[in-house]
Amino acid sequence: MSTAVVTGAGGALGRAIARRLAADGHAVVAADIDTDAVEATRTAVTKAGGQALAWTLDLRDPDAIGDLFEMVGSAHHGTAILVNNAAVYPSRPFLDIPLAEYDTVYQVNQRGYWLCAQAAARQMAAAGGGSIVNIASIVVHGGWADLASYVSTKGAAVAMTRALARELGPLGIRVNAVSPGAFPTAAETIHSDPDGYTKFVLDHQALKRRGTPEELAAVVSFLTGPDSAFVTGQTIEVNGGWVMA
Ligand SMILES: NC(=O)c1ccc[n+]([C@@H]2O[C@H](COP(=O)([O-])OP(=O)(O)OC[C@H]3O[C@@H](n4cnc5c(N)ncnc54)[C@H](O)[C@@H]3O)[C@@H](O)[C@H]2O)c1
């Protein structure tokens, strides 16, 4: 059984991705800083008949990332699939963002993706291939006020996807990104007017309903499965037709 590592697996989208990859037949290592949330993901996966391990780590800590992949290498024969999904998204005007907050956002959303990809790719290279999916965001297209650090890291996720796809392709490793639009998850708590925000979302989407985490996870499933064997370096937009790229 191949192993899929999903970071941020305690969150709504990460949990759906973990559930879907387990249903696809992978042993899932569900990693998150939130022990209770990731344990709930493990329970959800196993209740549905899948295999999962809950792993608590802080992606700001490079040693903790090393420990995660060392465990996967020794106990799970290496990483076949990595989904870089964890993110933080503090909201604040650009002119007021303290350096420490910027550093935190970068440590989780960019350096964390980078270090996980590097550790996973080393195992994938030794195994002759693998698949990495980086979760980006619709905000890379038009920006978003009061989220400059977050938006910057999501742009970096798209650029990193292309760089790694180019370099790791000869090793049989595919690297793609999935760019969610607006999904109704905890991330929406940054918007002060939930009803107004929902109307705003539906006004912009071509499809006049909210997307579900399962619909996002289905695209991750495609990108980590055999049907996308010739797809690499791409960013797939999953946004109900809000931005068409
Ligand atoms: N929900 C949306 O509408 C939306 C839109 C665009 C992009 N995204 C992206 O989708 C991904 C998942 O988003 P979500 O809506 O499920 O958010 P979420 O906040 O529910 O999940 C993010 C998870 O990352 C974890 N995390 C945060 N800091 C961490 C750290 N230092 N170490 C380890 N784990 C940490 C959190 O505990 C949380 O479980 C993110 O990359 C986000 O940027 C979401």
Side-chain angles (χ1 to χ4, degrees):
M1 187 180 253
S2 54
T3 299
V5 174
V6 181
T7 71
L13 298 185
R15 182 169 299 158
I17 292 166
R19 291 187 64 160
R20 177 58 191 259
L21 295 185
D24 288 348
H26 306 293
V28 172
V29 176
D32 202 289
I33 197 171
D34 185 332
T35 301
D36 291 343
V38 83
E39 182 56 28
T41 296
R42 188 195 66 77
T43 303
V45 169
T46 51
K47 268 191 181 162
Q51 276 196 30
L53 173 80
W55 189 269
T56 305
L57 91 167
D58 184 343
L59 288 164
R60 291 171 295 183
D61 178 1
D63 290 341
I65 294 175
D67 290 346
L68 165 64
F69 286 94
E70 193 181 310
M71 179 279 294
V72 177
S74 56
H76 290 260
H77 312 295
T79 308
I81 293 168
L82 166 68
V83 183
N84 270 323
N85 166 76
V88 289
Y89 34 83
S91 177
R92 198 191 296 270
F94 174 62
L95 299 182
D96 300 336
I97 296 173
L99 182 59
E101 184 177 283
Y102 164 89
D103 281 342
T104 296
V105 175
Y106 259 78
Q107 284 166 14
V108 178
N109 301 9
Q110 211 291 312
R111 193 182 71 186
Y113 278 35
W114 172 281
L115 291 173
C116 288
Q118 193 176 47
R122 286 179 179 139
Q123 296 178 348
M124 292 172 182
S131 176
I132 297 172
V133 174
N134 298 312
I135 304 299
S137 171
I138 190 173
V139 297
V140 303
H141 296 290
W144 199 279
D146 299 340
L147 277 177
S149 311
Y150 173 83
V151 175
S152 303
T153 60
K154 292 304 183 176
V158 172
M160 187 180 85
T161 295
R162 294 174 183 155
L164 299 192
R166 182 72 59 194
E167 189 166 337
L168 299 177
L171 303 175
I173 302 168
R174 297 187 299 111
V175 188
N176 291 288
V178 173
S179 191
F183 286 80
T185 70
E188 285 200 357
T189 55
I190 62 170
H191 305 292
S192 52
D193 171 14
D195 292 341
Y197 181 69
T198 296
K199 181 177 180 317
F200 173 78
V201 169
L202 297 184
D203 283 348
H204 283 82
Q205 289 180 185
L207 302 176
K208 300 301 177 189
R209 64 170 179 80
R210 303 304 303 273
T212 66
E214 289 71 27
E215 289 172 319
L216 192 281
V219 178
V220 176
S221 169
F222 166 70
L223 288 174
T224 54
D227 287 346
S228 63
F230 202 52
V231 179
T232 196
Q234 307 305 312
T235 300
I236 311 294
E237 308 291 330
V238 187
N239 60 37
W242 183 332
V243 165
M244 302 184 188

